[in-house]
Every structure is written in C-alpha cells, then in structure tokens.
Amino acid sequence: MQTSLAPEYQDTADGSAAEAILRKCVHCGFCTATCPTYQLLGDELDSPRGRIYLIKQVLEGSMPTRKTQLHLDRCLTCRNCETTCPSGVQYGHLVDIGRKLVDAKVPRPMAETAVRWALKEGLPSALFGPAMKLGQRVRGLLPAALKSKVPARQDAGVWPSAPHPRKMLMLAGCVQPSMSPNINSATARVLDAAGIQVVLAARAGCCGAVKFHLNDQEGGKLEMRVNIDAWWPLVEAGVEAIVMNASGCGVTVKEYGHILRDDPAYAEKAARISELTRDLSELLPELVAQLRGKVSATAGQIAFHPPCTLQHGQQLRGGVEKHLGELGFDIKAASCEAHLCCGSAGTYSVLQPKIAYELRDRKLANLAEMAPEVIVSANIGCITHLQSGTATPVRHWVEVLDEALAKA
C-alpha cells in the first residue's frame, strides 16, 4: 500500500514506522474474516482493513474526527488479524501509532477523559489492592455491573520456601495479586516441584500495558524502565528467564525491545529483557518431564480459552492443551471460534461494555458445548471477564495443575 506522508510526519519515528507497516498491506481483506468487531458490527471501518485506511488518511494529512477516534477505540487490539494476514502486517504496532496521532488532534469529552485517566492511574496504583479488598468485603452490596469486576476473595496458599540452584524471575503484576493471588503462588509451587525457584523483584510493578494502550505511551514506557531497573541486577546474577503467568503482561514485556528501541539508555537492556521473557506455557514441555508421575489429574472435561495475547500476540497455540493432556488432563479448546476474543482486552470491557459482553456471551456459549467442569485460561483479564457471565468456575490453568500436584 503506497503512502505519501504529510510533512508533519515525514522524518519522524512514528511516521517511518507506520509507513513501513502500511507498505506490507495489500488490502486483501482476509483480516475481516477474523475480526471480532467487524463480525459483530458489519462496518468496514470497524475492521483492520478499514482502520488501516483511517490511519493512512491521517498520516497523509487528513484531519481525524471523533468518528475516526471511535473506530480506533472499538478495536480490541486482539491481533487476530495478524495471525490471519498473509503479508505479515504488524497491525498492533500500527494501531498504537494511529491512536497516538488521532488523540493528539481530537479532544475527548470530559467524562470519557476522566474514566480513562482513572483506569490508567488506578489499576497500576498501590491503592488498587486496598480498594479491591474493600470491594470484596462489600461485594454482596455492589450493583451487578460493578460486582462482576470484583472477584470473591481468594486464599493464595503457601509460597514455597525451598531454595533451588535454578531461578526464574516472575512479574507479580499490578491487579493479579489482589484479584487472584493464588495464580502467582500456584505458579511458584508448580515450578518449585520441578526444581525451579521463583524470584520476585520488589520494585517491579505494572508491565506498562495499561497506560501504553490507553495512549499514555510515555507513562507506559516509564513503568517499563522501572521494571528493567528492578530486574537488571537479577538478570546479571544469572536468572534463567522472566516467566509470565498473565499473557497480557507477557506479550508486552516481549515487546520492550521494540517499544524502547530508540532509547539510548535502555534499548540494549530492553532487548535482553524481551529475549529472556517466557510465557508460563512455554515451560510446559520441561514441566511435563519433571512432573510426570507426580500429578493426580482431575477427571472431567476442562475447557481451555486461549487469550488473544497468547495465541495471536505471542503466537503460542496448542501448547497448554497438548502438554496438560500428556499429564492426564482432559482439556481442549472450543471447536468453534476458539480464535475469537472473549471481549476482555485489558480495559476494553470497561470502555466498550456492549461489545465486550456480546463477545463474552458468544465465547461462553461455544465453551458450554463441551459441558466443562471448569474453564481455564492464561490471563487474569480473560478469567475475570468470563467468570462474570457463567456459574462454571473459571481459573488459570496453573491453578488446576497445582491442585493436581497437591492431590498426588
């Protein structure tokens, strides 16, 4: 796709990056077949191809409008289109640039700005944990819409204390420790059973995704630099990997090298951090070998929902089902539309609730065909969002594996 950049974008990092991505697009339309918002809304401008044209027009000098902004806002950034695209268009990077350029020219209404500010400042804040605890105490009194965002209190269990020669860093995350603390401790117990010690860096916080995708890209980059500084002494000490048990964080940290590529002080370190980052499921082949015979797999059907950040963002598909199956679990993904987003998409379910809940219910209907005893996923956002629409327990797959180890 040929693009003639407007003078204000020529010789800029964003303009050059966007132009390189646009040149790969052959406007074939394959992406429309797997775009969740296009399937629901049927509007070409709510498809990847349509949004690419909108971004192209802005780069060529057209003045964006609130309508332009709305179509970009409606994108889930699920990156399903990247999996489908035969030309390798990096749509996720392009839409980040497009949103940044549009928001610089199109002011948002005050109420919308306030909500977005509250999300980007509140979720990564140290105050989120106490606020969540308060919400959980009065959960029964909350209105349904708010109650669905506040999971019931969860016991985290015991964190293993045995030292091991093998050590891996883990990002605790910003919301996961208060919303579902057992995911982190279950991860530590499972890795401990395989002879791996989990290490946390006290000063590491949010991965940066919340602010970055709400178009506070500089704020997101600052959080990324804080994490790099917190992790670097442990990286130099020889940790094997940085393991992520939230795929939304994992895909972001794997892109630190790309996001900070022009930062002279952090580019090299960021690239190294990205190289070391592994989704927890990438350790499963080794874990299977270490844990075989130590697991008492639960009977009954387990339905797996692969988050978009896992299957499209990180291009990791089939590993959880395959390797847990080798340990004796009856687990499989839905036979229909397993590739589609559940509608959580970070803060999307708050900002675009109508679309988010339609996608959630569509996802749950496909999963329900298996009559599962439990639904498992790999991202705290997906888990919370799906649980808000079903009585079937929704958990992280590592919690199920942890329980099976304890039973054995």
Side-chain angles (χ1 to χ4, degrees), residues 3-9 54-64 101 105:
T3 305
S4 178
L5 294 180
E8 64 181 304
Y9 301 124
L54 290 175
I55 295 168
K56 179 177 182 291
Q57 288 172 351
V58 172
L59 287 164
E60 291 180 334
S62 295
M63 180 59 67
L101 301 183
K105 295 193 172 185

Side-chain angles (χ1 to χ4, degrees), residues 219-251:
K221 288 178 181 178
L222 179 60
E223 290 176 333
M224 295 173 192
R225 295 184 187 104
V226 168
N227 288 342
I228 292 170
D229 288 340
W231 289 333
W232 199 250
L234 293 163
V235 169
E236 290 187 313
V239 292
E240 287 187 36
I242 305 171
V243 61
M244 297 286 164
N245 57 16
S247 59
C249 298
V251 72

Side-chain angles (χ1 to χ4, degrees), residues 76-100:
L76 293 132
T77 324
C78 68
R79 297 167 73 165
N80 201 339
C81 52
E82 291 188 14
T83 298
T84 311
C85 180
S87 303
V89 175
Q90 294 176 306
Y91 172 83
H93 294 162
L94 180 65
V95 80
D96 283 337
I97 295 170
R99 285 169 170 159
K100 177 182 176 182

Side-chain angles (χ1 to χ4, degrees), residues 173-369:
C174 51
V175 302
Q176 190 162 279
S178 8
M179 295 183 74
S180 191
N182 190 52
I183 295 175
N184 285 345
S185 55
T187 301
R189 289 189 293 268
V190 168
L191 293 181
D192 175 69
I196 300 169
Q197 182 180 351
V198 169
V199 181
L200 298 176
R203 292 189 300 112
C206 179
C207 67
V210 174
K211 288 186 177 180
F212 194 86
H213 293 302
L214 283 173
N215 206 33
D216 180 4
Q217 294 190 8
E218 291 308 312
K221 288 178 181 178
L222 179 60
E223 290 176 333
M224 295 173 192
R225 295 184 187 104
V226 168
N227 288 342
I228 292 170
D229 288 340
W231 289 333
W232 199 250
L234 293 163
V235 169
E236 290 187 313
V239 292
E240 287 187 36
I242 305 171
V243 61
M244 297 286 164
N245 57 16
S247 59
C249 298
V251 72
T252 299
V253 179
K254 284 185 176 183
E255 293 191 341
Y256 276 16
H258 170 79
I259 295 169
L260 297 174
R261 65 194 182 281
D262 296 323
D263 186 327
Y266 283 87
E268 188 175 337
K269 289 182 178 180
R272 178 62 179 149
I273 293 294
S274 293
E275 289 171 3
L276 284 172
T277 302
R278 298 287 181 272
D279 183 80
L280 182 59
S281 66
E282 293 182 86
L283 304 182
L284 269 173
E286 180 181 353
L287 293 179
V288 168
Q290 295 288 332
L291 302 180
R292 200 185 300 274
K294 299 180 182 180
V295 174
S296 177
T298 55
Q301 181 67 62
I302 301 173
F304 178 55
H305 162 61
C308 296
T309 44
L310 185 71
Q311 62 174 327
H312 304 308
Q314 299 185 58
Q315 294 290 305
L316 296 173
R317 289 183 289 277
V320 174
E321 308 95 302
K322 177 179 183 292
H323 299 300
L324 289 188
E326 291 172 355
L327 288 173
F329 294 93
D330 183 7
I331 178 171
K332 59 183 178 180
S335 59
C336 181
E337 297 186 338
H339 62 285
L340 279 188
C341 184
C342 70
S344 172
T347 58
Y348 191 93
S349 62
V350 177
L351 298 172
Q352 302 287 338
K354 184 176 185 299
I355 296 173
Y357 288 128
E358 283 186 45
L359 289 171
R360 179 200 68 183
D361 294 344
R362 182 168 175 162
K363 176 65 65 178
L364 287 170
N366 287 324
L367 292 170
E369 292 181 2

